[in-house]
Structure formats: C-alpha cells, structure tokens
Amino acid sequence: MDIPRIVELPATLASQIAAGEVIERPAAVVKELLDNSIDAGAAHVTVAVTDGGHKRISVSDDGHGIHPSDIELALRRHSTSKLNMQSDLDCITSLGFRGEALASIAAVSRFLLVTRTGGSDSAWSLSFDPVSGNTAVNPAARSRGTTVEAADIFQATPARRKFLRSRTTEFLHITEVVKRVACSRFNITFTLTHDNKPVLRYRACRDDMIERVADVFGRSFADRSIPVNYEAQGMRLWGWLGGSDLSRSQSDRQFCFVNGRVVRDKKIFHAVRSAFDDSLPTGRYPAYLLHLDMDPSVTDINVHPTKSEIRFRDNRGVHDFIHISLREALETAGSLDLGVTGDVPGKRSESAPAYQDQGSRLQVREAGMFYRNLVSREQQDDLTAQHAGLGVPLNAIPGRVVITQRDHDYVLLNYRAATEYVLRYRLKRDYMNESVRRRPLLVPVHIEAGDSEAELVEKYSELLETIGLSLRVVSAGVISVKAIPALLEEADVRTLLRLVLAELPLVGEDTDPGEKLLAVMAQATDTGAERASGSGVQGLLDDLDGTDLDTAQRHHKGIWRTLTVEELSKLIDD
C-alpha cells in the first residue's frame, strides 16, 4: 500500500479553498465590498447586480481610493491598509482587517477593479482571471473612488457554483445585506439596482434617522416602535424596539450592530428576548434595530471568517445591560406586565388604528374599572361551575380583552389572538383535508410589487392555488388578486397579499410551506371592536372549545390567562 505523500497545494487551488470560507454566496461578495467602501470613507455607494448575482456584481463608491502603487498588492492574500502591527488587532475600529476580501473574490470570479485617489491624475484598472491566472493593470477613467466588479461567480469552482440557489433567492439575500448595512451607516447614501432597474435607494440622513428605519422596516414600525437610548458602564444601547404587537412569525427584522458592525450574536438575541419575559407567545420574534457602542478593545471580532460573530470580554455584563435597558424601555412604554396584549402578537394592517396607549398597564387599569363589578358576581358559582371552556363572559375592553368568570376565577382573553387562532385552526384543518374553499373577488384587486416579488408569485403559483389564493402578474410591477380563501373573506386583501409576499422568500426553508402561509394570512382578518361584545364573544368562546386547544387549562401563552380574585386584586393595587 502506497502511503500518500504530503504536497503543497498550488496557489490557485489554495486561494479557492480559502475563498470558500469567506465567499459563501453572491451576497457575501456584496457584504465584503460594502465593508471596504465604508472603511474608505464613502458618502455614496451603489450596488449593481445582474441575474441575481449569478452573472455580475458591481460595487462603486466615492471613497479615498487605492494608491496606484498598491493596486496589485491589493489582490494578495493578507494584504491590508487597516492593520500594521499586532497591537492594532486588540482594538479594531475598521470593518475589514484580514486582507482576504479582494483576494477571495478574485479567486472565484472574473475580477475587475477600477480606482482613483483624490491626488491622482488618472484612474487605474486591475483585472484578474482565476482560470488563466492572468493579471493586467491599465490606465482607466473614473472620478475619485473605487469600483469592484465580480462576474461569473464560482466559474472556476463548478462544485460550488452548482450549490447556488435561484436568481430570485440569491438576490433576496443581497437585498437583505444592503438593508442591514444601510441601517449601520445612516450618513451614507446606498443604491441597489438589479438588471439595470432601481430596487432600493436610501438617502443619507443624520437628524431624521427614523426615515431610514421607515424605509427598511416600514412606516408602521417607525411610528409605533419604542425609541431606545441607554448608557452605563462605558456602553451605549440605542435604536428602536418593537413591542409585542409588532412581533413577527420569523426573525427577519432583528437588526443588531456592535460598533457599527452587523453581527448575529446569540447572547444579544437572548438578552433581547428575555426582556419581553412571557409577553411574546411561542413562535413569535421581536422586531428591533439596535446599536451597541462600546470600547472596541473589550470585544473580539476575529472569531469567524465572515466577521458576523463577536466575543465580549464581559459576556454577562453585556447581556445584563441589554436586558435591563430593554426591560425598562418596554415597561416605560407599557408593553409588559399582564402577558395578554391588546393586539395580535404580529403584523397588522397599515390601516388598523395605531393605538399609542395599547400597553398592558392600560389594560390593567381598564380591567380595574370592571373589577368592582366582577367580584360582586361571585354568587354565580352554580352558573360558572356548569359552564365548560373558558367560562361565562362578563365584560370586555372592546376589541382587546374579554373578561370571563370560570368557577371562582376570572379569565382575561386576548380577543384578537383568540380569533386569529380559531381562524388559523380552521384554515389548517381545511388545508390538511384538501378542502380549502375559495371566494372569487367580484373586482380583482391590483397591487404594485417589485420584480423579485412578481417572480416569487409566478414560481409558487401552484402552491398559492392550493391554499385558496389566486394571484397573477398582469404587467410589470403589478400583481392581481382574483380569489382568496373563503374563510378570509373579511380580510383586507392588500394586507393579506403583503403578508404573503413577505413570507414567500422563506417558503423554501419550510417543511410545510402551505400551512405556514395560511398561518400568516390569518393575521390579515378584520377583528373589529364591534364584534367583541354580546353574541360575538360567546361565539368566540364556543369556537375556541371547538379547536385543539385545551380550554380547561388555566393559562395559554398569548391567548388567555386565569387570575384568582387575590391575583387580580394585587394587580390593581400595584
């Protein structure tokens, strides 16, 4: 048996292997180049993508450029202008520092760099072909700044290229990168185009940062989110936090930055989630855009090749600071305490009233007005003992909380969450039985949409039909809704479609996408305040008895909570 000999890998192959750690997909190219543009002091950055990033990615900026003598050196591995000595590694203030980005991108694409410094008479271009290994440097024309173009990603590594997803999926990942980076630097203008068509444009802003938040997260979040600004122990936490009513069915709106760097840190995620205590139901995710500023010397960002993870010298101190700060913000805004929120724990129609006082503290105070009447009804024991389910309805905070009596206790029922659960249960039941009924619209509803959204509708048209939703792309940027599930006939059609379009990019990751889409669609149903009274309440209690929920339980997270007389009294006394 021959013993395999150790050999040194060819430089090209070694570069391609190393590039695989940094360049996972086209979106990673965009992220690395945006980091370089920010480090270069750019005020305007343009990202141009062709064929979802499969064919071409170009990032242009007006930063300080690369010195003509350093152009060829820029493609060598571990060459960087951001670190000079070991001590610099202990206090990194730039986004890039390893000197791997350009070398990794050039190793897996046809690479072109054009750059000019402010003091140069002309620009210079550098091209590199990973197949032939040829490099060419030539004079070029452009104003101050740098343009980097990567074409035919992974052409030199077919094994990697075959794992690229569809152009739609890859472009959605690129869009997500641009959105996150745009929320890390409010003073820079970012533009994204796809196939020469404008997709996103975020203008630079300093005093009106909330406008960029509205552009990325939506006006509803911007108007109803909780401003955060706390400082302690050399740390500052600032940004915007969505209360329980703005939580979502996925974690796509959890933007976190440490010293302006986009990070995905489990300790931070846990600190934010724990601040909500039990006010978020299982399967719901808080929405937030938070910046943590601190001394860079007490952080270690050299943890992962993509620099998306971070390590803190005092993990517990950082966790507690975030938890306590956000807990105080939520309590001040009245978004905690009771555990039964006044609105559905998730998305809501843009046309729905944005109650500024919808926190639990208000609900407790309003419940207190009914309390004096409730305790006087304890003589109705014989009636409540005979009633199954959640008890006998006594009163309601219209459209928000229903109060019932069950035996000697009182039940606070989240009216909207309960209504949504019943609807979700029925939709799932019909879907599993392949009996989802459709209601054709007398007049189709037309809604403007982006190219990526239209492509998703066409791609998943059969799936949408199976859940009772008939959509058609009728022209460029316009989607027509022709039919909706009969159980959702009272839903706002435009809100319904927006919820579906937001969920479609994640369809490929779900084991049962139809069920997931129906659960999201249930959030669009109108549960008006006028129905939260009289026979409407009794009907809802009966409907809950007909689901798979065990209404005999004392509590069900996010839907109802049972309180004894003593517990209710204590809440009001507090």
Side-chain angles (χ1 to χ4, degrees), residues 198-505:
V199 177
L200 298 175
R201 180 169 176 79
Y202 301 126
R203 298 184 182 277
C205 53
R206 294 181 183 274
D207 299 328
D208 56 347
M209 291 187 291
I210 193 65
E211 292 307 311
R212 178 164 294 183
V213 176
D215 288 341
V216 176
F217 276 43
R219 175 56 60 183
S220 178
F221 178 89
D223 291 343
R224 297 159 54 197
S225 60
I226 304 168
V228 174
N229 191 1
Y230 293 90
E231 292 187 61
Q233 300 177 344
M235 295 180 285
R236 181 192 176 202
L237 183 67
W238 62 277
W240 298 266
L241 174 67
S244 301
D245 63 304
L246 290 173
S247 67
R248 296 170 62 81
S249 60
Q250 62 266 354
S251 58
D252 60 328
R253 289 189 180 174
Q254 296 186 337
F255 286 23
C256 183
F257 310 90
V258 176
N259 293 335
R261 178 185 301 278
V262 180
V263 299
R264 296 178 181 274
D265 185 84
K266 293 181 179 179
K267 295 179 292 296
I268 295 177
F269 291 165
H270 182 271
V272 176
R273 177 79 192 200
S274 62
F276 282 84
D277 198 12
D278 292 329
S279 62
L280 280 181
T282 302
R284 305 298 302 186
Y285 298 89
Y288 54 82
L289 194 166
L290 296 173
H291 283 258
L292 177 63
D293 296 334
M294 59 194 307
D295 184 351
S297 66
V298 298
T299 67
D300 180 8
I301 60 175
N302 193 22
V303 178
H304 190 273
T306 63
K307 303 184 290 292
S308 61
E309 299 179 10
I310 193 167
R311 185 180 292 131
F312 301 101
R313 182 178 298 174
D314 182 9
N315 285 330
R316 172 53 61 182
V318 172
H319 180 282
D320 290 348
F321 169 65
I322 296 173
H323 171 86
I324 294 171
S325 299
L326 297 185
R327 182 77 179 182
E328 181 176 336
L330 288 166
E331 289 181 348
T332 301
S335 295
L336 292 177
D337 291 346
L338 192 57
V340 179
T341 58
D343 270 297
V344 58
K347 305 171 189 171
R348 183 171 58 187
S349 167
E350 296 290 339
S351 61
Y355 298 111
Q356 299 298 318
D357 56 356
Q358 63 188 9
S360 297
R361 293 181 184 276
L362 175 63
Q363 295 174 10
V364 171
R365 289 198 299 271
E366 292 181 344
M369 291 187 288
F370 297 115
Y371 174 71
R372 297 175 182 82
N373 295 327
L374 294 181
V375 293
S376 65
R377 303 184 185 183
E378 286 186 309
Q379 304 303 319
Q380 300 179 358
D381 290 348
D382 57 335
L383 177 61
T384 57
Q386 297 172 13
H387 194 281
L390 292 174
V392 177
L394 297 178
N395 219 320
I397 302 171
R400 301 171 70 181
V401 177
V402 174
I403 304 172
T404 72
Q405 184 178 359
R406 180 168 61 179
D407 296 329
H408 297 280
D409 300 330
Y410 298 92
V411 177
L412 302 184
L413 175 70
N414 184 328
Y415 181 84
R416 184 155 187 163
T419 303
E420 181 186 324
Y421 186 88
V422 170
L423 181 57
R424 192 163 63 244
Y425 172 82
R426 291 176 174 175
L427 286 168
K428 177 182 176 180
R429 176 197 61 197
D430 291 350
Y431 174 69
M432 298 301 291
N433 294 331
E434 298 183 355
S435 59
V436 176
R437 293 183 299 107
R438 295 195 304 167
R439 183 178 73 83
L441 301 180
L442 293 177
V443 179
V445 177
H446 299 288
I447 299 176
E448 293 184 0
D451 290 343
S452 60
E453 294 174 322
E455 290 172 5
L456 287 172
V457 167
E458 291 181 336
K459 178 179 180 180
Y460 295 111
S461 59
E462 292 185 6
L463 171 63
L464 295 171
E465 290 285 349
T466 64
I467 62 174
L469 194 59
S470 180
L471 305 181
R472 295 290 183 274
V473 179
V474 294
S475 62
V478 178
I479 295 175
S480 174
V481 186
K482 295 186 175 182
I484 61 175
L487 286 172
L488 297 173
E489 62 181 355
E490 296 177 356
D492 180 87
V493 177
R494 286 181 170 78
T495 300
L496 178 65
L497 181 57
R498 289 300 174 194
L499 292 174
V500 170
L501 292 178
E503 190 68 28
L504 276 180

Side-chain angles (χ1 to χ4, degrees), residues 69-277:
S69 302
D70 297 339
I71 292 178
E72 290 188 75
L73 186 61
L75 283 193
R76 297 184 189 176
R77 296 189 62 78
H78 309 303
S79 351
T80 178
S81 62
K82 300 164 188 178
L83 292 179
N84 293 306
M85 56 188 68
Q86 184 175 350
S87 59
D88 294 337
L89 197 60
D90 297 329
C91 189
I92 297 175
T93 56
S94 59
L95 296 178
F97 59 91
R98 292 197 183 102
E100 293 180 306
L102 295 184
S104 296
I105 296 170
V108 297
S109 67
R110 286 192 298 107
F111 182 88
L112 174 65
L113 181 150
V114 182
T115 186
R116 180 178 181 179
T117 61
S120 297
D121 294 332
S122 66
W124 291 87
S125 70
L126 169 67
S127 60
F128 176 77
D129 188 332
V131 177
S132 64
N134 294 331
T135 302
V137 178
N138 296 293
R142 71 150 291 160
S143 56
R144 192 191 81 157
T146 302
T147 297
V148 177
E149 180 179 305
D152 298 327
I153 305 292
F154 299 136
Q155 67 157 353
T157 54
R160 291 295 305 276
R161 188 174 182 85
K162 70 180 182 181
F163 284 101
L164 285 178
R165 304 291 293 275
S166 69
R167 65 191 297 272
T168 299
T169 299
E170 295 298 347
F171 182 67
L172 287 172
H173 282 281
I174 291 173
T175 302
E176 182 69 13
V177 165
V178 174
K179 287 181 177 181
R180 289 182 182 270
V181 173
C183 289
S184 74
R185 295 295 190 281
F186 292 88
N187 61 331
I188 300 177
T189 296
F190 294 91
T191 303
L192 172 64
T193 67
H194 187 214
D195 295 339
N196 296 319
K197 297 178 181 178
V199 177
L200 298 175
R201 180 169 176 79
Y202 301 126
R203 298 184 182 277
C205 53
R206 294 181 183 274
D207 299 328
D208 56 347
M209 291 187 291
I210 193 65
E211 292 307 311
R212 178 164 294 183
V213 176
D215 288 341
V216 176
F217 276 43
R219 175 56 60 183
S220 178
F221 178 89
D223 291 343
R224 297 159 54 197
S225 60
I226 304 168
V228 174
N229 191 1
Y230 293 90
E231 292 187 61
Q233 300 177 344
M235 295 180 285
R236 181 192 176 202
L237 183 67
W238 62 277
W240 298 266
L241 174 67
S244 301
D245 63 304
L246 290 173
S247 67
R248 296 170 62 81
S249 60
Q250 62 266 354
S251 58
D252 60 328
R253 289 189 180 174
Q254 296 186 337
F255 286 23
C256 183
F257 310 90
V258 176
N259 293 335
R261 178 185 301 278
V262 180
V263 299
R264 296 178 181 274
D265 185 84
K266 293 181 179 179
K267 295 179 292 296
I268 295 177
F269 291 165
H270 182 271
V272 176
R273 177 79 192 200
S274 62
F276 282 84
D277 198 12

Side-chain angles (χ1 to χ4, degrees), residues 496-568:
L496 178 65
L497 181 57
R498 289 300 174 194
L499 292 174
V500 170
L501 292 178
E503 190 68 28
L504 276 180
L506 305 175
V507 158
E509 303 174 9
D510 294 326
T511 55
D512 194 338
E515 183 179 333
K516 186 65 176 294
L517 285 171
L518 286 170
V520 171
M521 291 160 63
Q523 300 173 10
T525 303
D526 177 20
T527 53
E530 68 277 2
R531 300 183 186 177
S533 60
S535 60
V537 169
Q538 186 59 65
L540 175 59
L541 296 176
D542 293 339
D543 290 342
L544 281 172
D545 284 338
T547 68
D548 55 358
L549 285 177
D550 183 2
T551 53
Q553 292 183 5
R554 291 184 59 81
H555 308 294
H556 193 287
K557 194 171 184 180
I559 299 182
W560 74 79
R561 179 175 179 178
T562 302
L563 298 173
T564 64
V565 174
E566 292 75 16
E567 289 171 333
L568 187 57

